[in-house]
């Protein structure tokens, strides 16, 4: 089915789930989940249906809000039961986590979970096969950026590409969706969102995104509530300078950048869909 498609997503997690803070046991009421509200308000402005990849422990915190999102046509999928890299788990540990987390989200929200995105895009083909065995219809963990910490390697040898970065298994009806990368000063760089776009110099990265959108047929955007939070983050001592920069930079202007991306997609005749939509279209 010919067309140009954009998928907007969010990884629903709290401040304490952020990789550089996970082992600090922060005693704080700050969750950064106000960033979820800000992002969803922008999506509603443009009537974009969002795929929310949720960590199962976050569900009880915002259960009513998630149910309202479901009623409004958004999709709830799985991000795991912790933000620990799946590549640090054995295959059996990963299998058990997926079984428990999937069942919990489905029970609490009354949905059928069909998709998964790994924390940190950290997945390999062994764990991808486990998702298939457990009845998932798609995964969205492929990121071809070797400089990312803990990122896994997913090969698509037995998949057929039907959009730039979207693949369907030649053996069954399982799908793999990739985050988007492009060339930035001669190097591969992710342009799908997250901290990458929040921290990058916008005057340089914006033309790269716009050119990609003009010349391709598939774009994915993702972020975390932290990326657009307006909560005052607590003081956290003994952080590396790079981690402190990650936790503080670019949040005030990120919503405006996202809106510029949306407008560029509209100008280039993209349709806004969910990953689940694409699994029924191809």
């Amino acid at each position: 089915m010919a067309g140009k498609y954009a998928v907007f997503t969010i990884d629903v997690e709290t401040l304490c789930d952020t990789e550089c803070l996970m082992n600090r046991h922060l005693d704080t009421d700050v969750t950064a989940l106000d960033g979820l509200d800000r992002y969803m308000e922008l999506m509603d402005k443009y009537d974009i249906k969002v795929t929310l990849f949720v960590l199962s422990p976050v569900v009880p915190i915002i259960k009513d809000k998630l149910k309202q999102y479901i009623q409004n046509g958004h999709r709830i999928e799985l991000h795991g039961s912790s933000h620990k890299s799946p590549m640090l788990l054995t295959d059996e540990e990963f299998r058990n986590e997926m079984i428990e987390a999937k069942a919990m989200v489905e029970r609490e929200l009354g949905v059928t979970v069909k998709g998964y995105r790994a924390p940190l895009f950290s997945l390999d083909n062994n764990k991808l096969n486990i998702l298939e065995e457990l009845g998932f219809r798609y995964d969205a963990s492929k990121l071809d950026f070797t400089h990312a910490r803990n990122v896994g390697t997913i090969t698509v040898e037995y998949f057929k590409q039907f959009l730039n970065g979207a693949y369907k298994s030649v053996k069954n009806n399982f799908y793999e969706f990739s985050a988007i990368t492009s060339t930035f000063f001669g190097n591969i760089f992710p342009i799908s969102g997250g901290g990458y776009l929040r921290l990058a110099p916008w005057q340089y990265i914006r033309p790269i995104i716009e050119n990609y959108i003009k010349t391709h047929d598939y774009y994915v955007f993702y972020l975390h509530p932290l990326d657009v939070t307006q909560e005052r983050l607590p003081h956290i001592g003994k952080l590396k300078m790079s981690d402190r920069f990650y936790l503080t930079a670019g949040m005030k202007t990120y919503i405006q950048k996202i809106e510029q991306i949306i407008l560029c997609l509209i100008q280039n005749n993209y349709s806004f869909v969910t990953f689940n939509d694409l699994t029924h279209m191809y």
Side-chain angles (χ1 to χ4, degrees):
M1 182 180 296
K4 301 171 74 174
Y5 301 101
V7 183
F8 275 73
T9 72
I10 183 168
D11 296 347
V12 184
E13 58 200 55
T14 69
L15 173 67
C16 294
D17 296 312
T18 305
E19 184 185 9
C20 62
L21 302 179
M22 282 180 59
N23 298 318
R24 287 179 170 265
H25 308 292
L26 296 181
D27 183 16
T28 177
D29 293 330
V30 176
T31 65
L33 286 172
D34 69 300
L36 171 62
D37 299 328
R38 295 189 71 212
Y39 182 68
M40 297 303 285
E41 287 171 5
L42 178 62
M43 298 299 105
D44 287 342
K45 176 179 177 180
Y46 290 95
D47 194 27
I48 296 172
K49 302 308 178 188
V50 178
T51 302
L52 299 94
F53 293 98
V54 300
L55 286 179
S56 58
V58 180
V59 171
I61 302 173
I62 53 171
K63 181 176 178 178
D64 291 342
K65 185 176 296 185
L66 293 174
K67 285 188 172 182
Q68 186 60 56
Y69 291 150
I70 295 167
Q71 291 181 8
N72 293 343
H74 302 292
R75 293 284 313 180
I76 303 294
E77 306 291 10
L78 187 62
H79 198 37
S81 62
S82 77
H83 211 256
K84 182 177 181 180
S85 164
M87 296 302 294
L88 301 178
L89 302 175
T90 67
D91 288 350
E92 190 61 26
E93 288 171 336
F94 177 74
R95 179 189 299 275
N96 291 336
E97 177 179 316
M98 292 301 99
I99 291 172
E100 294 175 8
K102 184 176 187 290
M104 184 273 197
V105 172
E106 291 179 337
R107 180 179 65 251
E108 293 296 315
L109 298 178
V111 297
T112 299
V113 170
K114 297 182 178 180
Y116 174 72
R117 174 183 283 149
L120 313 175
F121 294 93
S122 176
L123 209 67
D124 61 14
N125 284 76
N126 284 344
K127 292 178 173 60
L128 194 67
N129 291 336
I130 291 171
L131 293 177
E132 294 185 60
E133 293 167 8
L134 294 179
F136 286 84
R137 186 169 176 82
Y138 73 85
D139 172 68
S141 306
K142 184 173 172 58
L143 174 61
D144 297 322
F145 183 60
T146 57
H147 297 295
R149 289 184 290 188
N150 294 316
V151 70
T153 300
I154 296 174
T155 62
V156 288
E157 180 181 0
Y158 299 107
F159 288 76
K160 181 179 180 180
Q161 181 171 279
F162 58 91
L163 294 169
N164 291 284
Y167 309 86
K168 182 178 181 180
S169 172
V170 297
K171 298 185 292 185
N172 52 39
N173 288 323
F174 188 83
Y175 294 77
E176 180 63 39
F177 296 106
S178 177
I180 301 304
T181 61
S182 190
T183 302
F184 183 52
F185 286 112
N187 297 307
I188 299 297
F189 187 79
I191 58 168
S192 273
Y196 297 108
L197 293 193
R198 171 165 60 84
L199 304 175
W202 188 239
Q203 68 270 31
Y204 297 117
I205 206 72
R206 178 178 175 176
I208 294 171
I209 296 172
E210 291 177 343
N211 182 66
Y212 178 91
I213 288 171
K214 290 176 182 177
T215 56
H216 292 76
D217 57 10
Y218 165 83
Y219 181 78
V220 173
F221 187 87
Y222 84 98
L223 84 173
H224 321 89
L226 171 67
D227 289 316
V228 288
T229 186
Q230 290 186 314
E231 290 188 276
R232 184 180 180 86
L233 301 184
H235 174 73
I236 304 166
K238 298 182 179 179
L239 273 179
K240 293 188 297 184
M241 186 173 295
S242 58
D243 289 337
R244 192 172 300 281
F245 179 68
Y246 176 79
L247 290 170
T248 57
M251 294 165 179
K252 291 182 179 180
T253 60
Y254 205 4
I255 283 289
Q256 288 76 25
K257 294 175 182 176
I258 299 168
E259 188 161 19
Q260 290 175 35
I261 292 172
I262 292 171
L263 292 174
C264 182
L265 290 163
I266 292 172
Q267 291 165 3
N268 285 275
N269 301 312
Y270 274 70
S271 298
F272 295 95
V273 297
T274 66
F275 288 132
N276 188 59
D277 290 334
L278 289 175
T279 68
H280 292 283
M281 294 164 59
Y282 288 91

